[in-house]
Amino acid sequence: MTPAVVPHPTLSRERERETIGETMGETATDAAPLSTRLEKAVQTLSPRNAGVTLNLVFDGETARRGTAEPTSISEGGALAAPHLLKRMPRAVDAQGQEVPAPTGLRALVRTHYLGILHDTAFKTFFSAWVTATLAPAQAGLYVSLATGLFTAPYLLLSAWAGRLADRTDKARLINRLKVVEVGLAVGGAVALALGSPWGALAVVAALGTRSAVMSPAKYSLLAERVPADKLGGANGWLELSTFLSLVVGTAVGGALASWGAGALASVGFGAAALLGWWTSRTLLTTGAPVTPPAAGSSGPAPKMPAKLVRAGLAIAFFWLLSSVIQMNIFQFGAQTLGVGTGMVTGLLTAIGLATGTGAVLAGKLSKDKVELGLVPLGAAGVALFLLDLGLFGGGSVVRAFIDLSLLSVSAGFFYIPLNAYLQQESPAEARGRFLGLANLMTFAAILGSAGVYWLLATALTLTPAAVFTASAALAVAAAVPTFWFLRGPLKDLFRRVRA
């Protein structure tokens, strides 16, 4: 056996490389298999020369000659350099082509879907349950508290949740929060069995807290796992699952409440939580290795660039306008279209499904990049179809349905590229914090939408149709700067279409 090399304490790093390289012989060359270099390294390893020896193993001949720059290994840090990871053995198919590491995208989409399904179904069941069993004034108080307590954590915890996502393993954080969700499902079942509105309200607040903490981790993990040229499409599928879960959760929660099926509801909520935890386990075993968080990632967040602030504000405006439309749709159906709650529910379902469809189409059209050229087109579509709905949609349910559907598809074109851009352009070491700030903007806008709707419908006493027309004016006002700031990507999009 070759004796271990114990360098002299004053031996230079360059001479140390040469000495160890000579001892390791030909196995230090780039051509030698990694397994051979590892075996030889064991024979030469000592506490003093560990860093240089590992560099020889992974960097090969260039490190032995001392021409390679010191890596984080030679400096005593963790294995973080991406070029080292590329030299590790990878899976190959029958033709010898490298098989990319599974991203876990499907597991993330399923985990996301089941979480929102559980949240929405439980909130809807709770609202319908208290409405059916309590006096109107008391039920209204509970419903208002449920909305506020579910939303408040997004305002209070988004910045902290972003910092947490930046300094922890995001997949493991999501998995642990899904375990918490299972516990909350059990707590909800107990509250419903005891007939305790306050207990169920506490579960609603806890579900909102869990969702707020998980949100930056989910979207940061998406940007980590999915290549940049696939990020638009991945966001499209994720948002389709968002709107599907909202539609299905509302329908399921309302149906279970109308049947008085509290026990069945508890079983269903528990099943959704358990399945969500199960799918989140896949996230722990998929995805390529990721560079550990930077040492300063837990410190003050770097300043958010102006381009990302604009993207965050545009996303917040999307949700503000969406909330105003949803609040106005019931009055529009009753006063303008003259239809009942069932038809209005159908219109809301169309909005959710069409927005999800627009999200997927935006992802498909983005192809191999984040296509910001779609954003101005989406803004124009939202303004155009919202204006048509306000001026002419009141005379026909069919026309209102078409306007709302096309409006929602346009909204997907507007929202998805901006969301993907925000994820892609945020630096990895601060991505969670930037996404957390964007969440803060979004939910501040959602709360602000109540004030906007009050101003239009109550203070200005506008009819429901006129509220849509005024909302179209807001959409036009937002579309103008959108076209200005994104005129370059829009021209590039038209150029590619003509080609």
Side-chain angles (χ1 to χ4, degrees):
M1 177 182 291
T2 306
V5 176
V6 182
H8 190 273
T10 59
L11 194 63
S12 68
R13 185 180 297 275
E14 290 74 16
R15 178 55 188 155
E16 191 173 344
R17 286 196 186 98
E18 293 174 4
T19 304
I20 298 171
E22 291 165 2
T23 305
M24 291 176 66
E26 295 301 318
T27 62
T29 65
D30 289 329
L34 180 61
S35 59
T36 304
R37 297 206 301 273
L38 282 170
E39 181 180 355
K40 200 69 175 177
V42 173
Q43 302 174 14
T44 62
L45 195 62
S46 74
R48 174 68 176 83
N49 66 23
V52 176
T53 302
L54 286 175
N55 274 343
L56 282 169
V57 170
F58 287 102
D59 289 343
E61 177 65 20
T62 54
R64 186 172 70 84
R65 290 196 303 265
T67 57
E69 293 184 3
T71 67
S72 58
I73 298 175
S74 62
E75 299 300 329
L79 177 60
H83 73 281
L84 304 183
L85 297 174
K86 292 178 182 177
R87 303 184 62 155
M88 298 296 286
R90 299 293 178 92
V92 295
D93 59 20
Q95 288 73 39
Q97 298 295 319
E98 182 178 312
V99 178
T103 62
L105 175 60
R106 290 184 180 180
L108 183 59
V109 169
R110 289 167 183 158
T111 302
H112 176 75
Y113 172 84
L114 289 165
I116 297 179
L117 177 68
H118 181 199
D119 294 346
T120 306
F122 190 88
K123 285 190 302 175
T124 304
F125 184 92
F126 172 79
S127 298
W129 173 52
V130 296
T131 300
T133 57
L134 301 177
Q138 195 175 10
L141 173 63
Y142 277 115
V143 172
S144 299
L145 283 175
T147 302
L149 290 174
F150 187 86
T151 306
Y154 284 93
L155 293 171
L156 300 175
L157 300 178
S158 285
W160 174 82
R163 294 184 64 187
L164 180 64
D166 283 336
R167 64 173 185 257
T168 58
D169 182 328
K170 299 171 184 62
R172 192 165 300 280
L173 174 62
I174 292 171
N175 178 255
R176 289 173 178 172
L177 287 170
K178 297 305 287 186
V179 173
V180 171
E181 184 183 341
V182 173
L184 293 177
V186 174
V190 172
L192 294 179
L194 295 175
S196 171
W198 286 109
L201 187 63
V203 172
V204 170
L207 286 172
T209 302
R210 188 264 308 155
S211 296
V213 174
M214 186 185 292
S215 183
K218 281 190 298 190
Y219 287 98
S220 295
L221 186 66
L222 183 69
E224 278 184 5
R225 294 285 181 90
V226 178
D229 59 343
K230 306 292 184 185
L231 195 55
N235 271 276
W237 287 110
L238 195 67
E239 294 311 317
L240 174 62
S241 74
T242 298
F243 291 104
L244 281 177
S245 60
L246 290 171
V247 170
V248 175
T250 301
V252 169
L256 289 172
S258 66
W259 298 337
L264 181 60
S266 297
V267 171
F269 301 149
L274 279 171
L275 283 174
W277 165 76
W278 182 261
T279 58
S280 72
R281 294 171 70 248
T282 305
L283 299 175
L284 302 175
T285 58
T286 54
V290 179
T291 302
S297 63
S298 60
K303 185 177 179 181
M304 196 171 185
K307 62 180 182 180
L308 297 186
V309 172
R310 288 195 295 268
L313 289 174
I315 292 170
F317 175 79
F318 163 84
W319 284 106
L320 181 147
L321 201 61
S322 175
S323 298
V324 170
I325 291 170
Q326 290 186 39
M327 285 185 280
N328 191 52
I329 195 72
F330 282 98
Q331 296 299 321
F332 182 76
Q335 297 181 25
T336 307
L337 295 177
V339 298
T341 304
M343 181 60 71
V344 172
T345 302
L347 292 174
L348 286 172
T349 301
I351 290 175
L353 295 178
T355 306
T357 301
V360 173
L361 286 175
K364 294 287 186 183
L365 292 172
S366 295
K367 294 184 179 178
D368 59 347
K369 60 178 292 186
V370 174
E371 186 52 84
L372 289 178
L374 294 174
V375 177
L377 299 181
V382 168
L384 175 64
F385 294 116
L386 196 52
L387 181 63
D388 188 79
L389 178 64
L391 295 179
F392 310 109
S396 166
V397 174
V398 173
R399 184 158 186 167
F401 177 85
I402 293 173
D403 279 335
L404 285 169
S405 297
L406 294 177
L407 157 69
S408 301
V409 171
S410 301
F413 279 39
F414 179 83
Y415 170 64
I416 291 302
L418 286 172
N419 213 32
Y421 176 77
L422 186 61
Q423 295 164 19
Q424 183 184 59
E425 294 300 315
S426 296
E429 68 276 7
R431 184 176 287 126
R433 280 171 280 186
F434 286 178
L435 295 179
L437 289 174
N439 266 352
L440 183 61
M441 296 179 201
T442 294
F443 281 88
I446 290 174
L447 285 181
S449 67
V452 172
Y453 182 69
W454 175 86
L455 176 65
L456 297 175
T458 304
L460 299 179
T461 63
L462 298 181
T463 65
V467 169
F468 281 141
T469 305
S471 300
L474 292 176
V476 170
V480 171
T482 301
F483 272 88
W484 172 256
F485 283 114
L486 298 178
R487 60 191 184 279
L490 183 61
K491 290 178 182 177
D492 292 341
L493 176 62
F494 285 147
R495 192 177 299 116
R496 287 194 299 274
V497 170
R498 286 197 299 268

